[in-house]
Amino acid sequence: MVFQKPPDGGWGWVIVVVSFFTQFLCYGSPLAVGVLYLEWLDAFGEGKGKTAWVGSLANGIGLLASPVCSICVSSFGARPVAIFSGFMVAGGLMMSSFAPNIYFLYISYGIVVGLGCGLLYTATVTITCHYFDKRRGLALGLISTGSSVGLFIYAALQRELIDLYGLDGCLLIVGALSLNILACGSLMRPLESSYAPPLEKTCVDKVPDQYFVYHEKEKTVEENISILEKGYVDEKCANNTPDYKQDSILNKNVLSSINVNEKDTYKKKVVEQTNFCKQLAKRKWQLYLNYWEETVVLFKNKVFAALFVAILLFDIGVFPPSLLMEDVARSANINEDDYRMPLISIIGIMTAVGKLTLGTLADFEWVNTLYLYVTTLLMTGVALFAIPFAKSYLTLAMLSGILGFLTGNWSIFPYVTTKTVGIEKLTHAYGILMFFAGLGNSLGPPIVGWFYDWTQEYDTAFYFSGFCVLLGGFLLLLAALPCWNACTNQSSKLPPNTYSYKVASSA
């Protein structure tokens, strides 16, 4: 497939709009799952740690499966994947309304909805990158705010739907709203060139012609015999001299020579096919070896190794507030009449502001994106340490806004990765980092919930979360300060990738 030059406009803005609404519709409920979390606690009576697995799986499974998601989009295209994933998200939400226990929710809401969101994220980012080049940063920033706006609106929407129709009715309605993803996906027209050169032969087409000689012989044996017989009979009729003995000898010689040729061709075909399969397996094995060799080279970069630890610890510590902040307020005995806005909604809208602000700062030449990212990590750790001291709605709302703004550092994470490993290694490195980010998202809320089940209060849990984020920030700072220039210079000299996952979200 040959693509046109990215138009940086035109139908691309339609792609931006539908990608924005796609992320809005698919991530709205999983990111605002804290509202549903309270209802599931009351409905199933399970511990906070066990119940928290539902939301953590929904938000982490898409990142864990990012290599698989990118392979699906690369193989089938953004539009088919988006439409199929829309059915997954809507079906998972509707199935969750009939959940008899928490284990059913692990599958329906955690895995089905989470995997659908991961596929949709990869599809929206991929199709946007195809349509934009010079304005790619702006386009990606706009569509990424869709999930944050979805968190802001869905937190209040789900609470209102629960009050009116109950938990089951809320999930059914939210699932029905998610079907609008199908309409958005249908507008994700692939960017193809009007002129496509002749396609290169595939591996099967490149098989030597000798492989198919045997089958051609089979189809033409009878034709050859009939032609020979016909010519010989015509010649006899012309001479009017019948010679049955000579006719029999000739037919016998023809058949025997054809059978010998068929056997030789068949044996040659088997040998060549065997050699072809061996060469293909050897080539694939070499690609896998190259991939793992490049992975080892990446981890020899001290800054990348520290970045891998930092993103894992960051997601373990920072994701629980977005899931558990409503329960923190309830545990602090804050009067519901004091609620002017759900705390999760505040986190969502400030995350959108943080993405745009930090992304804009990263474009300035005088800003070192790595130091900017480390600063957000350290400030996030301090904010998490302050949560146990917040005993009113106002202080919790302020901390929620600060945490939401700092969580917007996701918008500068690709910049940090690029500066650390170089543009040639970006897709490879970003796929690894996103896997561990998903692992942190999946583990963070259950760990905090287990701390509550153990101590019956959230203070120790958030001290632990703050310690994780601060530890990751300090490790990254220590790795960056003495050898930042050395690491970037070394990464720029690395040979280009010979094999990598095509992780679309790295663009």
Short mmCIF file of all heavy atoms in Angstrom, two decimals, residues 4 7-19 79 127-128 130-132 183-191:
data_model
loop_
_atom_site.label_atom_id
_atom_site.label_comp_id
_atom_site.label_asym_id
_atom_site.label_seq_id
_atom_site.Cartn_x
_atom_site.Cartn_y
_atom_site.Cartn_z
N GLN A 4 -0.45 8.60 0.27
CA GLN A 4 -0.18 9.94 -0.18
C GLN A 4 0.63 10.68 0.89
O GLN A 4 0.75 10.25 2.03
CB GLN A 4 -1.50 10.69 -0.41
CG GLN A 4 -2.37 10.11 -1.51
CD GLN A 4 -3.69 10.85 -1.59
OE1 GLN A 4 -3.95 11.77 -0.82
NE2 GLN A 4 -4.53 10.45 -2.53
N PRO A 7 -1.82 15.27 4.19
CA PRO A 7 -2.33 16.57 3.74
C PRO A 7 -2.29 17.65 4.82
O PRO A 7 -2.43 18.82 4.51
CB PRO A 7 -3.77 16.26 3.33
CG PRO A 7 -4.14 15.07 4.15
CD PRO A 7 -2.89 14.26 4.32
N ASP A 8 -2.14 17.26 6.11
CA ASP A 8 -2.15 18.23 7.21
C ASP A 8 -3.39 19.10 7.17
O ASP A 8 -3.34 20.31 7.43
CB ASP A 8 -0.89 19.10 7.18
CG ASP A 8 0.32 18.39 7.75
OD1 ASP A 8 0.27 17.97 8.92
OD2 ASP A 8 1.31 18.23 7.02
N GLY A 9 -4.51 18.52 6.86
CA GLY A 9 -5.76 19.27 6.82
C GLY A 9 -6.77 18.50 6.01
O GLY A 9 -6.68 17.29 5.84
N GLY A 10 -7.76 19.24 5.46
CA GLY A 10 -8.78 18.58 4.66
C GLY A 10 -9.56 17.55 5.47
O GLY A 10 -10.06 17.84 6.56
N TRP A 11 -9.64 16.33 4.92
CA TRP A 11 -10.35 15.26 5.62
C TRP A 11 -9.66 14.89 6.93
O TRP A 11 -10.26 14.27 7.81
CB TRP A 11 -10.46 14.04 4.72
CG TRP A 11 -11.36 12.98 5.26
CD1 TRP A 11 -11.01 11.84 5.92
CD2 TRP A 11 -12.79 12.96 5.21
NE1 TRP A 11 -12.11 11.11 6.30
CE2 TRP A 11 -13.24 11.78 5.87
CE3 TRP A 11 -13.74 13.83 4.69
CZ2 TRP A 11 -14.57 11.47 6.01
CZ3 TRP A 11 -15.08 13.51 4.82
CH2 TRP A 11 -15.47 12.34 5.47
N GLY A 12 -8.41 15.29 7.07
CA GLY A 12 -7.70 15.03 8.32
C GLY A 12 -8.38 15.64 9.53
O GLY A 12 -8.34 15.06 10.62
N TRP A 13 -9.00 16.80 9.37
CA TRP A 13 -9.70 17.41 10.51
C TRP A 13 -10.94 16.61 10.87
O TRP A 13 -11.35 16.58 12.04
CB TRP A 13 -10.05 18.86 10.21
CG TRP A 13 -8.85 19.74 10.06
CD1 TRP A 13 -8.46 20.44 8.95
CD2 TRP A 13 -7.85 19.99 11.05
NE1 TRP A 13 -7.29 21.11 9.19
CE2 TRP A 13 -6.89 20.86 10.47
CE3 TRP A 13 -7.67 19.57 12.37
CZ2 TRP A 13 -5.77 21.30 11.17
CZ3 TRP A 13 -6.55 20.01 13.06
CH2 TRP A 13 -5.62 20.87 12.47
N VAL A 14 -11.56 15.98 9.88
CA VAL A 14 -12.67 15.06 10.20
C VAL A 14 -12.14 13.88 11.00
O VAL A 14 -12.78 13.43 11.97
CB VAL A 14 -13.35 14.57 8.90
CG1 VAL A 14 -14.46 13.57 9.21
CG2 VAL A 14 -13.90 15.75 8.12
N ILE A 15 -10.96 13.39 10.63
CA ILE A 15 -10.33 12.30 11.38
C ILE A 15 -10.07 12.73 12.82
O ILE A 15 -10.29 11.95 13.77
CB ILE A 15 -9.03 11.87 10.69
CG1 ILE A 15 -9.30 11.32 9.29
CG2 ILE A 15 -8.29 10.84 11.53
CD1 ILE A 15 -10.13 10.05 9.26
N VAL A 16 -9.62 13.96 13.01
CA VAL A 16 -9.36 14.46 14.37
C VAL A 16 -10.65 14.48 15.18
O VAL A 16 -10.69 14.07 16.35
CB VAL A 16 -8.72 15.86 14.32
CG1 VAL A 16 -8.70 16.50 15.70
CG2 VAL A 16 -7.30 15.77 13.77
N VAL A 17 -11.73 14.97 14.58
CA VAL A 17 -13.00 15.06 15.30
C VAL A 17 -13.53 13.68 15.68
O VAL A 17 -13.91 13.44 16.83
CB VAL A 17 -14.05 15.82 14.44
CG1 VAL A 17 -15.42 15.76 15.10
CG2 VAL A 17 -13.62 17.28 14.26
N VAL A 18 -13.53 12.76 14.72
CA VAL A 18 -14.08 11.43 15.03
C VAL A 18 -13.16 10.67 15.99
O VAL A 18 -13.63 9.89 16.82
CB VAL A 18 -14.33 10.61 13.74
CG1 VAL A 18 -15.36 11.30 12.88
CG2 VAL A 18 -13.05 10.36 12.98
N SER A 19 -11.85 10.90 15.91
CA SER A 19 -10.93 10.26 16.85
C SER A 19 -11.13 10.82 18.26
O SER A 19 -11.04 10.08 19.24
CB SER A 19 -9.48 10.47 16.41
OG SER A 19 -9.24 9.86 15.16
N ARG A 79 -9.88 1.55 10.20
CA ARG A 79 -11.34 1.57 10.16
C ARG A 79 -11.96 0.22 10.57
O ARG A 79 -12.85 0.22 11.44
CB ARG A 79 -11.82 1.97 8.76
CG ARG A 79 -13.33 2.00 8.63
CD ARG A 79 -13.82 2.86 7.49
NE ARG A 79 -13.26 2.47 6.20
CZ ARG A 79 -13.50 3.13 5.07
NH1 ARG A 79 -14.26 4.20 5.07
NH2 ARG A 79 -12.96 2.71 3.94
N ILE A 127 -4.38 6.44 12.47
CA ILE A 127 -5.02 7.13 11.35
C ILE A 127 -4.73 8.62 11.40
O ILE A 127 -4.57 9.28 10.36
CB ILE A 127 -6.55 6.86 11.36
CG1 ILE A 127 -7.19 7.30 10.04
CG2 ILE A 127 -7.23 7.52 12.54
CD1 ILE A 127 -6.81 6.45 8.87
N THR A 128 -4.59 9.19 12.59
CA THR A 128 -4.25 10.61 12.71
C THR A 128 -2.84 10.88 12.22
O THR A 128 -2.59 11.88 11.53
CB THR A 128 -4.40 11.07 14.17
OG1 THR A 128 -5.73 10.82 14.62
CG2 THR A 128 -4.11 12.56 14.31
N HIS A 130 -1.30 9.27 9.94
CA HIS A 130 -1.28 9.15 8.49
C HIS A 130 -1.70 10.46 7.82
O HIS A 130 -1.21 10.78 6.73
CB HIS A 130 -2.23 8.04 8.04
CG HIS A 130 -1.68 6.67 8.26
ND1 HIS A 130 -2.44 5.52 8.09
CD2 HIS A 130 -0.46 6.24 8.66
CE1 HIS A 130 -1.70 4.46 8.35
NE2 HIS A 130 -0.49 4.88 8.70
N TYR A 131 -2.61 11.21 8.45
CA TYR A 131 -3.15 12.42 7.85
C TYR A 131 -2.38 13.69 8.20
O TYR A 131 -2.62 14.74 7.61
CB TYR A 131 -4.62 12.61 8.25
CG TYR A 131 -5.59 11.87 7.35
CD1 TYR A 131 -5.91 10.54 7.59
CD2 TYR A 131 -6.17 12.49 6.25
CE1 TYR A 131 -6.79 9.84 6.77
CE2 TYR A 131 -7.06 11.81 5.43
CZ TYR A 131 -7.36 10.49 5.69
OH TYR A 131 -8.23 9.82 4.87
N PHE A 132 -1.49 13.62 9.21
CA PHE A 132 -0.80 14.82 9.65
C PHE A 132 0.70 14.56 9.77
O PHE A 132 1.12 13.48 10.20
CB PHE A 132 -1.34 15.30 11.01
CG PHE A 132 -2.72 15.89 10.93
CD1 PHE A 132 -3.84 15.08 11.08
CD2 PHE A 132 -2.90 17.24 10.71
CE1 PHE A 132 -5.11 15.61 10.99
CE2 PHE A 132 -4.17 17.79 10.61
CZ PHE A 132 -5.28 16.97 10.76
N ALA A 183 -20.18 4.63 14.17
CA ALA A 183 -20.31 5.73 13.21
C ALA A 183 -18.99 6.48 13.05
O ALA A 183 -18.60 6.85 11.94
CB ALA A 183 -21.42 6.68 13.65
N CYS A 184 -18.31 6.69 14.17
CA CYS A 184 -17.01 7.37 14.11
C CYS A 184 -16.01 6.53 13.32
O CYS A 184 -15.25 7.06 12.49
CB CYS A 184 -16.49 7.64 15.52
SG CYS A 184 -17.48 8.80 16.48
N GLY A 185 -15.98 5.24 13.59
CA GLY A 185 -15.04 4.37 12.90
C GLY A 185 -15.27 4.31 11.41
O GLY A 185 -14.32 4.20 10.62
N SER A 186 -16.54 4.38 10.98
CA SER A 186 -16.84 4.30 9.55
C SER A 186 -16.30 5.51 8.78
O SER A 186 -16.12 5.44 7.56
CB SER A 186 -18.35 4.18 9.34
OG SER A 186 -19.01 5.37 9.79
N LEU A 187 -16.04 6.62 9.48
CA LEU A 187 -15.51 7.82 8.83
C LEU A 187 -13.98 7.83 8.77
O LEU A 187 -13.40 8.76 8.21
CB LEU A 187 -15.99 9.07 9.57
CG LEU A 187 -17.50 9.33 9.53
CD1 LEU A 187 -17.87 10.51 10.42
CD2 LEU A 187 -17.95 9.59 8.10
N MET A 188 -13.34 6.82 9.34
CA MET A 188 -11.87 6.77 9.32
C MET A 188 -11.38 6.21 7.99
O MET A 188 -10.86 5.11 7.89
CB MET A 188 -11.35 5.92 10.49
CG MET A 188 -11.64 6.52 11.84
SD MET A 188 -10.99 5.49 13.19
CE MET A 188 -11.57 6.41 14.61
N ARG A 189 -11.57 7.02 6.97
CA ARG A 189 -11.19 6.61 5.61
C ARG A 189 -9.68 6.51 5.51
O ARG A 189 -8.96 7.45 5.83
CB ARG A 189 -11.73 7.63 4.61
CG ARG A 189 -11.53 7.26 3.16
CD ARG A 189 -12.22 8.27 2.27
NE ARG A 189 -11.63 9.59 2.41
CZ ARG A 189 -12.23 10.72 2.02
NH1 ARG A 189 -13.46 10.67 1.53
NH2 ARG A 189 -11.63 11.88 2.16
N PRO A 190 -9.15 5.38 5.05
CA PRO A 190 -7.69 5.26 4.93
C PRO A 190 -7.14 6.19 3.87
O PRO A 190 -7.78 6.45 2.85
CB PRO A 190 -7.49 3.78 4.56
CG PRO A 190 -8.78 3.36 3.94
CD PRO A 190 -9.85 4.16 4.63
N LEU A 191 -5.94 6.68 4.12
CA LEU A 191 -5.27 7.58 3.19
C LEU A 191 -4.47 6.75 2.21
O LEU A 191 -3.39 6.24 2.52
CB LEU A 191 -4.35 8.54 3.95
CG LEU A 191 -3.63 9.60 3.11
CD1 LEU A 191 -4.64 10.56 2.50
CD2 LEU A 191 -2.63 10.35 3.96
#
